[in-house]
């Protein structure tokens, strides 16, 4: 088995071209396989759905071949196959030359960023040499400015076999230069077919576009969320224990009904990818797009093997003319699955004409964007043009106070996980990321949030200098719009560890804060404490105390609340408050009594402190709660 960084020895060839230009016959001549598998296809002599075949090149490489339909009505099936192509054969019949669907297929391949391919002129046996040369010249002119400009061009006859060996030799040479797909990181299989095999159950097929899938792996079918397991795998018709990126895969799924999966779904490991109903992207409008693209246009989105209806929002332009480019957000009419960097195609909803396409910048935008918003456009510019380090930082920044593991970052960015691990280490060393468990946080975001916490607490101290600290729940509610509960707890732990705040008894204060009373407040505090200590075990209520001492109610209440927050006054029960020195004295009396007598009734305790049942019971319950005593039936003993 290859190491994680080894390149795959498989690659995918796709055909493209006008209907009835001989794509299926060409594949039959190359592979010996009839890819028109549907009766309707065989009767009509044209491909309706995707066909598949494979053959081994002289170098030993295994080539998978996708036969995509050429008829306009079946263009969405062509799109389902085009995304997995490494090398394309643009098929043009010698007796007809370049036709409308030839040009449209070529446009789509360019949008999907196909970079390798060649031209195959079929039906060579039907034309004279002079005509063939005219067709060559026409093709050369049509390919100027495309990725196929200057590409090899071979004329063949699928009937006589002429030119087939030359074509195979070209394919073998080109295969050596085709960039291999990464097999590092989580695997992903956009599903282009699903069917039942008697005795085995549901089988799905597609091109594995990343990672390595293994027999026994757990699987989630997205966006539906069905859980399954890989029962068996086939690559190009052969049973295997694992399949690598860049291979045509048939995956037998355990426990999934055929009704639970369809083309456009994605098979992937659980917990790695998530469905989305919005996408941020760069849209490049084709120069030959038949009309301008307006804001709020309803479109058909093709990504992976999915076709989804969507509403197009133009973010940086009033309209996009043919040949122009812009930033867009697509609001989908049903969920789909994609990743950053995936290529996509857009077509008008009706009539179904190709608009263009481009690259997905963010498969999970946090919100619906406002048009022409400077912050949004700057953020998308980083996603589109930023360095790898900037992209990692942008991803962690967008996650807020939720730590991201390198694997999660790699998935969101579509980068190899080893690359992300290296970048994360660089950014940790530079202090731009902070470690939290197995994940990382964006350091500036954390520091800004920590400063925000300190500012809120400081503002409370300024408004309430008498109080030792603000309620933890009050602090949490002040920050709730910016910081969720998990992020709040993380910040509190960090700030306490750094010695910047103190938290005790449900109160939070800055580390250097001490309660401060004005001269008048200090006079009121002393009067309150004196009155409580005068009757330590049967204290008056706040209202009675204020009245008996002649204290101004509002000012006295503020001081009372501060003393309560600071722990000078202790609440025993509803309406029952005592001075903390009363608690200390009661605790000492009870310990002494029980050390001598072992047990004590509530009545004995009442007599011990010289109080009434109204106060004795709250005192005892408080001592139980503080684990000074414990109740055994009607008696108390030391805890």
């Amino acid at each position: 088995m290859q190491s994680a960084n080894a390149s795959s020895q498989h690659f995918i060839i796709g055909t493209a071209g006008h209907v009835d230009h001989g794509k299926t016959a060409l594949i039959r001549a190359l592979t010996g396989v009839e890819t028109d598998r549907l009766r309707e296809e065989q009767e009509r002599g044209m491909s309706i759905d995707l066909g598949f075949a494979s053959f081994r090149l002289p170098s030993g490489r295994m080539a998978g071949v996708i036969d995509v339909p050429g008829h306009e009505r079946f263009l969405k099936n062509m799109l389902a196959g085009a995304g997995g192509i490494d090398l394309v054969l643009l098929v043009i019949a010698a007796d007809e030359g370049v036709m409308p669907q030839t040009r449209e297929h070529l446009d789509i391949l360019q949008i999907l960023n196909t970079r390798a391919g060649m031209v195959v002129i079929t039906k060579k046996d039907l034309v004279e040499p002079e005509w063939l040369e005219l067709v060559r010249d026409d093709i050369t002119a049509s390919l100027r400015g495309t990725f196929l400009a200057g590409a090899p061009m071979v004329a063949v006859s699928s009937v006589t076999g002429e030119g087939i060996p030359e074509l195979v030799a070209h394919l073998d040479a080109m295969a050596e230069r085709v960039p291999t797909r990464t097999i590092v990181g989580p695997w992903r299989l956009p599903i282009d077919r699903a069917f039942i095999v008697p005795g085995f159950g549901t089988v799905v097929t597609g091109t594995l576009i990343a990672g390595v899938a293994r027999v026994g792996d757990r699987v989630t079918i997205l966006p539906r969320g069905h859980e399954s397991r890989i029962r068996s795998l086939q690559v190009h018709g052969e049973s295997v224990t694992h399949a690598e990126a860049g291979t045509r895969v048939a995956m037998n799924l355990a426990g999934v009904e055929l009704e639970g999966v369809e083309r456009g779904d994605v098979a992937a490991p659980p917990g790695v990818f998530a469905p989305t109903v919005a996408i941020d992207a760069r849209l490049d409008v084709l120069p030959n797009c038949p009309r301008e693209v307006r804001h709020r246009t309803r479109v058909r989105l093709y990504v992976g093997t999915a076709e989804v209806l969507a509403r197009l929002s133009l973010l940086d332009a009033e309209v996009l003319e043919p040949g122009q480019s812009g930033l867009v957000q697509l609001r989908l009419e049903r969920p789909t699955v994609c990743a950053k960097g995936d290529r996509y195609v857009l077509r008008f909803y009706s009539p179904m004409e190709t608009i263009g396409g481009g690259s997905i910048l963010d498969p999970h935008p946090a919100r619906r964007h406002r048009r022409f918003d400077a912050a949004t456009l700057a953020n998308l510019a980083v996603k589109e043009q930023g360095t790898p380090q900037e992209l990692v930082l942008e991803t962690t920044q967008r996650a807020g106070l939720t730590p991201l593991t390198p694997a999660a970052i790699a998935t969101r960015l579509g980068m190899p996980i080893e690359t992300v691990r290296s970048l994360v280490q660089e950014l940790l060393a530079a202090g731009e990321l902070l470690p939290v468990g197995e994940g990382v946080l964006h350091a500036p975001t954390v520091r800004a949030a920590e400063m925000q916490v300190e500012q809120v607490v400081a503002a409370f101290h300024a408004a309430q200098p008498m109080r030792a600290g603000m309620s933890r729940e009050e602090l949490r509610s002040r920050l709730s719009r910016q910081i969720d509960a998990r992020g709040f707890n993380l910040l509190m732990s960090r700030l306490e560890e750094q010695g910047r705040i103190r938290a005790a008894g449900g109160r939070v204060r800055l580390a250097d804060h001490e309660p401060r009373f004005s001269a008048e407040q200090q006079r009121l505090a002393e009067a309150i404490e004196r009155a409580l200590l005068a009757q330590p075990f049967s204290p008056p209520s706040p209202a009675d105390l204020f009245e008996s001492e002649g204290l101004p109610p509002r000012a006295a209440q503020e001081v009372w609340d501060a003393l309560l927050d600071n722990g000078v006054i202790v609440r025993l029960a509803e309406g029952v408050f005592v001075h903390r020195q009363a608690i200390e004295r009661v605790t000492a009396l009870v310990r002494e009594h029980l050390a001598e007598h072992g047990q004590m009734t509530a009545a004995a305790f009442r007599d011990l402190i010289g109080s009434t049942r109204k106060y004795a019971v709250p005192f005892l319950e408080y001592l139980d709660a503080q684990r000074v005593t414990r109740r055994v039936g009607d008696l108390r003993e030391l805890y």
Side-chain angles (χ1 to χ4, degrees), residues 310-323:
R311 191 69 66 174
L312 175 72
S313 293
L314 300 178
L315 301 180
D316 60 353
E318 291 294 346
V319 297
L320 287 178
E321 301 285 351

Side-chain angles (χ1 to χ4, degrees), residues 222-546:
L222 297 168
R224 301 155 185 262
H226 298 320
E227 296 287 330
S228 182
R229 177 179 55 82
I230 300 177
R231 181 182 287 157
S232 62
L233 288 168
Q234 284 192 353
V235 172
H236 304 305
E238 297 181 0
S239 295
V240 294
T241 59
H242 68 281
E244 297 179 354
T247 55
R248 285 292 309 171
V249 176
M251 186 178 289
N252 181 206
L253 300 176
V256 174
E257 299 297 327
L258 184 60
E259 295 76 18
V261 61
E262 65 182 7
R263 174 179 294 170
D265 290 349
V266 172
V272 176
F273 298 94
T276 184
V277 291
I279 292 169
D280 289 344
R282 163 68 64 182
L283 171 60
D284 298 317
V285 182
L286 290 172
N288 57 358
C289 179
R291 58 187 186 274
E292 67 182 13
V293 182
R294 295 183 174 275
H295 180 61
R296 298 286 299 160
T297 297
R298 197 176 189 214
V299 296
R300 298 175 186 270
L301 166 70
Y302 300 88
V303 59
T305 57
E307 178 191 17
V308 184
L309 296 180
R311 191 69 66 174
L312 175 72
S313 293
L314 300 178
L315 301 180
D316 60 353
E318 291 294 346
V319 297
L320 287 178
E321 301 285 351
Q324 291 185 331
S325 178
L327 294 170
V328 301
Q329 184 172 76
L330 294 161
R331 307 297 299 188
L332 313 185
E333 295 185 15
R334 64 178 176 84
T336 193
V337 176
C338 56
K340 179 179 172 61
D342 283 359
R343 305 293 297 185
Y344 73 95
V345 174
L346 287 188
R347 306 188 83 206
F348 288 111
Y349 173 70
S350 181
M352 288 191 293
E353 298 162 324
T354 303
I355 297 170
S359 178
I360 292 173
L361 304 180
D362 187 351
H364 295 281
R367 61 187 181 276
R368 189 188 298 269
H369 299 316
R370 295 197 307 270
R371 301 182 70 195
F372 306 104
D373 179 69
T376 296
L377 298 180
N379 182 264
L380 290 174
V382 170
K383 293 174 183 176
E384 184 174 25
Q385 302 170 1
T387 65
Q389 290 87 346
E390 288 171 332
L391 292 173
V392 170
L393 288 174
E394 187 276 331
T395 300
T396 55
Q397 180 182 29
R398 197 157 50 87
L401 296 174
T402 301
L404 294 180
T405 63
I409 296 170
T411 297
R412 296 188 185 197
L413 292 177
M415 286 185 185
I417 190 169
E418 293 302 328
T419 300
V420 172
R421 285 196 182 109
S422 176
L423 292 170
V424 165
Q425 289 304 313
E426 289 178 21
L427 294 168
L428 284 169
E432 296 186 76
L433 293 180
L434 297 173
V436 178
E438 296 181 357
V440 292
L441 291 170
H442 184 248
T445 297
V446 174
R447 294 187 188 110
E450 290 173 343
M451 186 178 298
Q452 188 179 9
V453 171
E454 290 180 307
Q455 287 172 343
V456 171
V457 177
F460 177 87
H461 289 331
Q464 303 284 347
M466 295 179 294
R467 298 193 179 190
M470 72 185 302
S471 160
R472 185 183 176 98
E473 286 308 309
E474 182 182 357
L475 174 59
R476 168 78 184 89
S477 68
R478 296 271 189 96
L479 300 167
S480 61
R481 290 187 179 181
Q482 293 83 26
I483 301 171
D484 62 17
R486 181 179 177 184
F488 176 75
N489 292 333
L490 183 147
L491 287 177
M492 297 302 291
S493 297
R494 283 182 53 84
L495 289 168
E496 283 194 84
E497 289 170 4
Q498 297 167 27
R500 294 160 65 181
I501 64 169
R502 298 283 183 268
R507 298 280 163 180
V508 180
R509 65 180 176 87
L510 297 180
D512 59 356
H513 173 75
E514 293 294 338
R516 299 189 308 276
F517 290 77
S518 67
E520 176 59 19
Q521 290 168 338
Q522 186 63 40
R523 184 188 71 78
L524 294 173
E526 291 172 356
I528 291 170
E529 289 190 67
R530 188 167 53 248
L532 288 175
L533 290 173
Q535 305 174 67
F537 306 134
S538 52
S541 68
D544 290 344
L545 188 153
F546 301 159

